[in-house]
């Protein structure tokens, strides 16, 4: 039986709608927590709204993994649609519990899942997904795809993003922006694909 692979990630991958639609990617929203309440990135809060709130807040927002119930529902729906497994590429486990909670949700839904710790956010996550889809289209099975992507993550080093509250780049996700302010490291992300 041929595998039907679902590709799952979170909003910190910063995938554009065209890429999501073209490759049928399932995207779980990261939760951004401001003083007033929690928002699901791109669902309850657009990037423009995020930056407006960021300008006017006294306390830097934090982030949390996607809502576990929504994750379980996604995996149940994927199983009902005939997917045999999911390859998930999420925010680094050093920055978020998204990696672990996604695995737990898929297990609860009864769907085989291959979680991959991206070790970076944004562009490197997209490149991992692109490479995985290329391998899938070339006929490789999920085990081979995952082994290849996990080897690739060995060349990804998260060393941070320099924060600038006055002029944040327009294309940074809420999760990326918030995590950079926590000062996990200092200067750059290296990736070799």
């Amino acid at each position: 039986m041929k595998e039907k692979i679902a590709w799952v990630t979170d909003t910190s991958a910063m995938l554009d709608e065209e890429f999501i639609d073209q490759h049928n990617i399932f995207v779980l929203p990261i939760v951004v927590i401001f003083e007033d309440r929690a928002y699901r990135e791109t669902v309850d809060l657009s990037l423009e709204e995020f930056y407006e709130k960021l300008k006017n807040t006294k306390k830097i927002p934090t982030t949390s993994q996607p809502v576990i119930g929504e994750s379980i529902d996604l995996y149940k729906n994927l199983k009902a649609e005939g997917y045999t497994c999911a390859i998930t590429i999420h925010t680094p486990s050093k920055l978020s519990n998204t990696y672990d909670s996604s695995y737990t949700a898929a297990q609860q839904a009864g769907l085989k899942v291959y979680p991959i710790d991206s070790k970076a956010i944004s562009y490197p996550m997209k490149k991992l997904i692109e490479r995985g889809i290329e391998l899938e289209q070339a006929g490789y099975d999920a085990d081979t795809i995952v082994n290849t992507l996990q080897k690739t993550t060995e060349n990804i080093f998260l060393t941070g993003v320099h924060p600038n509250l006055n002029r944040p780049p327009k294309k940074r996700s809420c999760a990326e922006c918030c995590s950079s302010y926590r000062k996990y490291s200092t200067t750059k992300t290296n990736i070799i694909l």
Side-chain angles (χ1 to χ4, degrees):
M1 179 174 97
K2 186 171 179 351
E3 293 173 304
K4 184 176 180 184
I5 301 171
W7 290 90
V8 180
T9 191
D10 57 67
T11 50
S12 66
M14 291 296 298
L15 302 178
D16 58 76
E17 288 299 321
E18 181 180 339
F19 182 81
I20 292 167
D21 293 341
Q22 180 182 6
H23 299 290
N24 200 27
I25 310 293
F26 299 92
V27 183
L28 292 165
I30 296 290
V31 176
V32 181
I33 306 163
F34 277 93
E35 294 171 307
D36 63 337
R37 66 174 269 220
Y39 300 88
R40 292 171 299 159
E41 183 179 20
T42 71
V43 175
D44 305 321
L45 185 71
S46 69
L47 286 177
E48 293 78 19
E49 292 167 326
F50 169 77
Y51 284 117
E52 190 58 37
K53 287 186 75 59
L54 188 62
K55 282 189 231 175
N56 299 311
T57 190
K58 293 177 183 166
K59 184 179 175 189
I60 299 297
T62 58
T63 59
S64 181
Q65 73 249 11
V67 177
I68 190 74
E70 291 179 15
S71 299
I72 293 170
D73 289 344
L74 170 64
Y75 291 118
K76 284 181 178 177
N77 290 337
L78 292 174
K79 187 175 180 182
E81 292 174 19
Y83 286 93
T84 57
C85 65
I87 298 176
T88 65
I89 299 176
H90 288 296
T91 304
S93 58
K94 288 183 179 182
L95 297 180
S96 171
N97 288 328
T98 303
Y99 170 86
D100 292 327
S101 70
S102 181
Y103 178 78
T104 300
Q107 292 297 305
Q108 288 183 21
L111 182 67
K112 185 174 185 176
V113 65
Y114 296 91
I116 296 174
D117 185 338
S118 68
K119 298 190 177 138
I121 49 183
S122 193
Y123 179 76
M125 291 173 71
K126 180 178 182 180
K127 296 309 287 180
L128 286 169
I129 294 167
E130 286 176 347
R131 180 69 178 128
I133 290 169
E134 288 171 5
L135 292 168
E136 180 186 14
Q137 291 172 344
Y140 290 95
D141 66 3
D143 286 322
T144 303
I145 295 168
V146 170
N147 287 334
T148 301
L149 295 180
Q150 286 175 333
K151 286 178 185 172
T152 302
T153 65
E154 293 170 11
N155 293 313
I156 298 173
F157 305 95
L158 176 64
T159 54
V161 179
H162 187 272
N164 184 340
L165 279 173
N166 296 324
R167 296 183 326 166
K170 291 182 182 179
K171 290 291 184 182
R172 288 175 65 195
S173 71
C174 302
E176 182 179 9
C177 188
C178 293
S179 66
S180 70
Y181 297 124
R182 291 191 204 127
K183 298 181 182 176
Y184 281 96
S185 293
T186 54
T187 56
K188 62 181 178 175
T189 299
N190 300 320
I191 183 170
I192 302 169
L193 290 174

